[in-house]
Amino acid sequence: KNQVEQSPQSLIILEGKNCTLQCNYTVSPFSNLRWYKQDTGRGPVSLTIMTFSENTKSNGRYTATLDADTKQSSLHITASQLSDSASYICVVSAAGDYKLSFGAGTTVTVRA
Amino acid sequence: DTGVSQDPRHKITKRGQNVTFRCDPISEHNRLYWYRQTLGQGPEFLTYFQNEAQLEKSRLLSDRFSAERPKGSFSTLEIQRTEQGDSAMYLCASSLDTEQFFGPGTRLTVL
């Protein structure tokens, strides 16, 4: 069964600080991995997408890494802002499958 | 706005009532997906359309649930005889290839 595990479940950081979220997956055969940001009460919005050959991808203050050998990914948020408070979901696609495997998300709370 | 839209955004209903949600995908997207998301969890797949054809239904989609996409454009998701366990966010997504774009969701509360 394809699975995606995220850690931590939640975290609280002070505005301006950095944080890193983790994602481990067992999806096979691997196609791509996306990080989504989901604000409370809204749909997920894509932040980054990485394929097998990509190790890192940045989108502003968000930087995602991928180690396809160990099946791990991380999302690093630099210089956090209050607007970064949201749930961050790791989503993995299997090759040839339109269905996505979702992690449960990490809830990030940024405090002033 | 050319993104995925969903209507209504919120729905409160009494147990046993029927509800219907609508999703309008991005216009050129031929694939449409419905998901259910409960608090603290990632979205769970419900069903998938390619054009007007419903190609897959999750076992989560009990016989009280039905989805249609009559002309390969908008889609509706109906829940009959709602139960309290149906309370969740119902998300719609559309895609042209593998990247799915999500709508804002419909929050259902069953009292």
Side-chain angles (χ1 to χ4, degrees):
Chain A
K1 178 182 177 182
N2 291 332
Q3 287 189 315
V4 179
E5 302 287 338
Q6 291 188 241
S7 63
Q9 185 176 20
S10 63
L11 64 91
I12 300 172
I13 57 173
L14 293 177
E15 187 178 13
K17 299 297 186 182
N18 304 336
C19 67
T20 300
L21 317 179
Q22 301 293 339
C23 173
N24 297 334
Y25 62 92
T26 61
V27 176
S28 182
F30 175 83
S31 175
N32 60 67
L33 183 148
R34 295 183 177 91
W35 284 92
Y36 281 85
K37 178 185 179 187
Q38 186 174 24
D39 293 315
T40 302
R42 307 299 296 268
V45 175
S46 180
L47 292 176
T48 64
I49 177 172
M50 288 181 292
T51 58
F52 183 88
S53 60
E54 296 176 297
N55 301 116
T56 186
K57 184 74 69 77
S58 291
N59 177 1
R61 295 179 297 100
Y62 301 103
T63 299
T65 66
L66 173 65
D67 186 333
D69 292 330
T70 62
K71 297 187 177 182
Q72 295 179 325
S73 176
S74 67
L75 180 69
H76 187 76
I77 305 175
T78 303
S80 60
Q81 300 178 358
L82 297 178
S83 59
D84 293 331
S85 295
S87 179
Y88 292 83
I89 305 175
C90 177
V91 183
V92 185
S93 297
D97 190 353
Y98 55 82
K99 285 190 292 187
L100 305 176
S101 296
F102 291 84
T106 293
T107 300
V108 174
T109 302
V110 181
R111 290 189 175 163
Chain B
D1 187 349
T2 57
V4 178
S5 62
Q6 292 187 245
D7 183 70
R9 294 293 310 280
H10 305 274
K11 179 70 176 178
I12 300 174
T13 191
K14 292 183 179 179
R15 190 175 52 186
Q17 298 295 304
N18 299 343
V19 294
T20 300
F21 310 141
R22 176 178 170 126
C23 170
D24 286 89
I26 295 172
S27 59
E28 65 268 24
H29 287 184
N30 60 342
R31 299 176 181 178
L32 187 147
Y33 314 79
W34 284 98
Y35 295 88
R36 182 173 68 186
Q37 185 178 26
T38 53
L39 199 62
Q41 299 298 316
E44 297 174 290
F45 171 80
L46 292 179
T47 190
Y48 159 63
F49 289 87
Q50 183 156 328
N51 299 311
E52 65 275 12
Q54 188 174 20
L55 297 186
E56 185 169 349
K57 294 193 297 184
S58 162
R59 63 179 182 274
L60 293 175
L61 216 64
S62 75
D63 55 6
R64 296 185 298 106
F65 289 70
S66 63
E68 294 182 344
R69 194 181 183 198
K71 296 182 179 179
S73 56
F74 74 92
S75 174
T76 58
L77 177 68
E78 181 182 16
I79 309 174
Q80 296 181 326
R81 305 181 303 281
T82 52
E83 302 173 355
Q84 288 184 324
D86 296 332
S87 295
M89 172 79 87
Y90 290 85
L91 291 166
C92 175
S94 70
S95 74
L96 194 56
D97 47 35
T98 59
E99 182 170 6
Q100 295 183 24
F101 295 82
F102 287 84
T106 294
R107 167 73 64 189
L108 173 65
T109 302
V110 182
L111 303 176

